[in-house]
Every structure is written in structure tokens, then in C-alpha cells.
Amino acid sequence: MKKLTYTLLFASGLVFGQFFEKDKTFTKQDTLKGSNTIFRNFWDVKKYDLSVEPDFAQKSIKGNNTISFEIIKDITNPTFQIDLQQPMKADKVTASFPISEYKQEGDFIWIKAKKSFKKGEKYTIYVTYSGNPTIAKHAPWDGGWVFTNDQNGNPWMSVADEGIGASIWLPTKDIWNDEPDNGVVMKIITPKDLVGVGNGRLINTKTIGDKTTYTWEVKNPINAYSIIPNIGKYVNFKDTFNGEKGKLDLDYWVLDYNLEKAKKQFQQVKPMLSAFEYWFGAYPFYEDSYKLVDSPYLGMEHQSNVAYGNQYLNGYLGNDLSGTGVGLNWDYIIIHESGHEWFANNITAKDQADMWVHEGFTMYSEVLFTEKYMDKKSADLYAVGIRNSIENDIPIIGKYGVRNEGSGDMYYKGASMIHTIRQMIDNDEKFRQILRGLNKDFYHKTVTTEEIENYISKKAGIDFSSIFNQYLRTTKIPALEYSQTGNVLKFRYTNVVKNFKLPVKIDGEQVINPTEEWQTIKLKKGTPVEFNNAYYINYVKA
């Protein structure tokens, strides 16, 4: 395999050398994981057909994955990159095309083809895998498999891998910009006294001896980190929601002793769906149903398989993240993780650096749900309250091409930016139609920050470029300095990007257009000016 290794290192050196001269923080391995490399950019994944069988006692898993794909440009003797992170092993690799050699090296399987491929041709790669996967120390934040026991001592297993990647257990093309267009079929093999729950719909259950195979099918495109098996002592109950596209099946899988609590707490699902369909448009995966599944960790937005671990409490484990009390009126995990079905699962960032598209809009979905479920005053209170968690440590947008996330401020600051944009639009129906338009025009697509920025500016008829630059690409919060003498107001912006444009409504009706230069206007009255705290800016008395 020396020849293959040399070829790969030589090729990667040509492609990535310039990058590493600019930024020494990241390795070539980071770039191989996070970039659309020459080993990835000529083929498009169409479907995964996989199996997974965990062994609770050994904390190991084994299975296989058939990767169906289409060639998207003519190419001769290419090398395919399949991702499978150590310590997992590829036991066997075959393909429906000639292979001159293959090798697992680090976190990658390199497959060197011996063939000329033409655009539009379709092939498969088949990988059998096994091993002891990365174990999560603090799921879902650090990523990895969870092997634990429920409160009755029964085995309970799952995995969380959004940040670290699905390839910690499954051989995949592990990059956000390539989702399997035709979905996934996943077989979960369990001891017969346990239940395997996956994404989409259960299409077959088969018991042979002391094992049961549960086969789940997803018909829609799905991001790889959403492909999640859950194994435990589950019971099932169902409901339906009459939504914008007709009848949506609601499918709930909970540990047997949680059944009665779940039947009560999950009543929040229908109001949530009603609110989000109002703001964002139809639930994006009617064909695959909506599902909540008891999880051995707090929660995650796994598509049509939302992980629920909020202990059947309102708020975030019984606490209100806004500090206002508003968030105690609803279950944070049901609302937030379900909001991701629109932003993260329907609209998915091409690169992890743009993860704010997932988290900023979804954090703001909590505000929108509150407005629909309660009232606008409570929603505005919540929107301002969550700002207390903003750290302004590093920019929200991360480094591109290396699987790097930006600041955790993508949640609270991202939502605050969207709330500020909403004030600038100053037309809630237009704002709603922009949100619905995003989910319609980018339906089941992967996107860049620039595409989202341009779309919002175009549909609003307002150039928001300086707003996005300020809040996404810097840690600076605009300061509106002012002084008032009677009915004369003097003001200017500081701590802003060049040509920052954010008109501000004062005294409930009058609009000012601050710049970095001092301006003076006459107010309609001489009482102290009232500023609108819905804008995410600091008001500083000079």
C-alpha cells in the first residue's frame, strides 16, 4: 500500500499546502474531514443502506453500510475517501467498480479505483465495520456512543455525533454538504427483549433466535449526524396532527416506566407544530413522520427521530434560560430540538463554520413559539432575556473547511441578530413570509451563510450586509452614544463595522439613522428619550 499512501500525501500536499501556510492551527486531517476535497468532489451520495448491532457488555458495535452514489463529473482512476474514525475498523471493502487497492489510514478509508467514470453513472461501495467506538463523556456535547442503564437496570444505548461526525461509528461520506438524496434504510439488531428505534418509519421487524432486527426507512435527504440508532426497553404510542400538508403521524418511543409522563408532556407537540408551521411552513418530513424518542442524554435534533432527555420538565431541565420565567411555560427540548427540523434538517449548512444557520434561527424559534403559544409581550421578554448568556468571545462564524464551529454565541447572539433584523423590517407578516420562503426555496438543501444573507436582504428589500458582518463576523456590539438637552437629541454609533446601517425607532415612532458621525435631531417632546431594547445594541449616555 506504499504507492497509494505516497499518491495521497502528494495530492493532498498540492491541494492543501496553501491553506496550511495561512493557518497553522489546523492539520491536514482537519482539512480532509472538513473540505470538499479531490477525493470527494466527483461523487454525490444517493442513499445509505446500513446495519448496526451494538454489544452492551463489550461496548462495541458492528455492521455494514452500502453507499450508493452518482458520478458528477468525468474522472479516471480516482481515489475515494470514506470516513471512519479510529478506533473503528473497516473489516471489508468492496465496490461495484474495479478497485486497484484500498487501505484504512487514520480516520479514513482510501479506495483507489481502476476505471474511467462518466458523469451520471451510478455505483455502490460496501463497507463492513466493527470495533469499540468513541464513548461520550458528556453527550451530546462531546460526541460518542452512550452505553448506560435505565432506572430499572436495562441496557440503554444511543449515540450523539453532530460535532465530531457520524464517522465515529459509521463509514460515510462525512461532510455536511452531501446528504443522501434518496434517504436511508437502517437495520438495528438488538437482543429480543430490547427495541431498536431509528429515523423515519419502521417498515419491518423480524426476530430470529435471541435477536430482533428493526428496519427503519427515511425517504428524504438527511444529514449524516442525524442518522441515529436508539436501543432500550421502549414502548410506543401514537397520535396525529392535522397540518398544512394533511395528516402528520406522531410517533413516540419512550422507556416503559415513562409512558404516562410522556403522554402528558408530549401534549406540547401539537401546539409546537402549529406554531412552527405558521412561522416556517409545513413540517419538512411528512413522509417520514415526526418522532420523539427517550434519550440517555439531554437532546438532539436527529431528523424524524428527535432525542428527548429533558426529564419531563418544562424549561431547560426545569430552568429558564432567559431568566425571565417565560421559558418555564414550555418544554425546552421539545420546542428547540423540533425547531431544528426546519433549520438544520430541512435547511442544512454546507460547512460546520456556518452552524449559526441551525442554531440562531432555532433559538429564535423559541421566541416565535412563545409569541404564538402565549403572547408577543412574553416573546419579547424572552428574546431580551437570553442575551444575558452572550459571551462575545469569538465570532459566530468558524473557520471554513476544517469542521470548525464558531462561538457558542451562535445560539443567543444569532437569535438576537434575527430579532434585530425583524425590528428593521418592521412588518411581521413580511418577516414571516421570509422565514417561510427560506424553508420553501431552500427545501431539503444545503446552504452557505452568504445565500441566507442575500435571500433575507433581497426579500426584505433592505441591505443587511453590515448587520451580518457586525454580528456574525466580529465580537463587537454596537453602541449608540447619545446626549439629550430638552427636546434635542445628539447621537452616533461606536464599536461598529464600517458603514454600519441600523436605523433605530425611538419613542415608539420616530426613526433615527445613526452613523459614526455625531448627528442632532429635534424630538417631538422634551421628556427623556425612550429607546427600544428589542435591538441588540448598547445605549450609552455620553
Side-chain angles (χ1 to χ4, degrees), residues 173-372:
K173 185 180 184 183
D174 199 3
I175 187 170
W176 285 14
N177 72 353
D178 193 359
E179 301 178 344
D181 303 279
N182 300 325
V184 171
V185 172
M186 175 164 56
K187 293 180 173 66
I188 307 172
I189 303 169
T190 75
K192 67 178 181 181
D193 61 335
L194 298 178
V195 176
V197 183
N199 308 82
R201 296 182 183 273
L202 181 62
I203 61 172
N204 189 49
T205 303
K206 187 175 183 180
T207 299
I208 299 177
D210 61 353
K211 295 181 180 180
T212 301
T213 300
Y214 296 86
T215 303
W216 295 82
E217 182 180 25
V218 175
K219 293 187 176 180
N220 290 294
I222 181 171
N223 45 52
Y225 70 79
S226 278
I227 304 169
I228 298 293
N230 306 273
I231 300 94
K233 201 78 170 180
Y234 287 110
V235 294
N236 175 237
F237 68 103
K238 301 179 184 295
D239 201 349
T240 57
F241 171 74
N242 293 318
E244 289 194 9
K245 290 179 66 176
K247 186 180 78 170
L248 173 63
D249 293 322
L250 310 180
D251 201 16
Y252 304 125
W253 294 82
V254 300
L255 297 179
D256 48 7
Y257 53 80
N258 285 333
L259 181 59
E260 294 308 315
K261 287 187 290 186
K263 286 182 176 179
K264 180 180 179 181
Q265 191 75 354
F266 292 178
Q267 289 177 18
Q268 296 187 35
V269 167
K270 289 184 181 180
M272 173 275 296
L273 288 168
S274 179
F276 288 166
E277 287 208 333
Y278 171 81
W279 286 107
F280 303 146
Y283 173 75
F285 308 106
Y286 269 70
E287 300 85 355
D288 296 323
S289 81
Y290 171 87
K291 191 185 301 88
L292 280 178
V293 183
D294 256 344
S295 169
Y297 48 82
L298 180 62
M300 269 293 293
E301 67 261 26
H302 307 134
Q303 185 174 313
S304 67
N305 180 13
V306 175
Y308 178 84
N310 203 37
Q311 300 178 13
Y312 298 92
L313 298 170
N314 278 358
Y316 182 100
L317 293 173
N319 299 297
D320 175 22
L321 294 181
S322 76
T324 65
V326 173
L328 295 177
N329 290 281
W330 36 266
D331 188 312
Y332 179 89
I333 293 300
I334 292 177
I335 306 308
H336 180 90
E337 303 303 346
S338 299
H340 276 306
E341 293 283 38
W342 284 264
F343 291 96
N345 298 342
N346 183 38
I347 302 173
T348 307
K350 288 182 181 293
D351 192 291
Q352 212 153 324
D354 287 336
M355 192 172 162
W356 79 270
V357 174
H358 300 187
E359 300 299 351
F361 282 99
T362 301
M363 195 81 198
Y364 196 66
S365 76
E366 301 164 26
V367 177
L368 298 174
F369 170 76
T370 300
E371 184 170 332
K372 193 73 173 161

Side-chain angles (χ1 to χ4, degrees), residues 72-140:
I72 56 178
K73 64 179 181 181
D74 294 354
I75 192 167
T76 299
N77 298 336
T79 297
F80 291 80
Q81 174 187 328
I82 305 296
D83 306 291
L84 183 62
Q85 297 182 42
Q86 301 178 80
M88 295 299 296
K89 300 294 183 183
D91 300 316
K92 183 180 180 182
V93 177
T94 59
S96 62
F97 54 86
I99 296 176
S100 61
E101 51 189 347
Y102 78 85
K103 181 179 182 180
Q104 183 170 359
E105 196 169 62
D107 292 337
F108 312 103
I109 305 166
W110 303 108
I111 304 169
K112 189 168 180 60
K114 190 177 182 180
K115 176 179 170 54
S116 292
F117 294 88
K118 297 295 183 183
K119 180 180 179 180
E121 294 178 344
K122 297 180 179 180
Y123 299 93
T124 59
I125 293 172
Y126 177 81
V127 182
T128 301
Y129 66 93
S130 64
N132 295 92
T134 298
I135 302 296
K137 296 178 181 178
H138 192 206

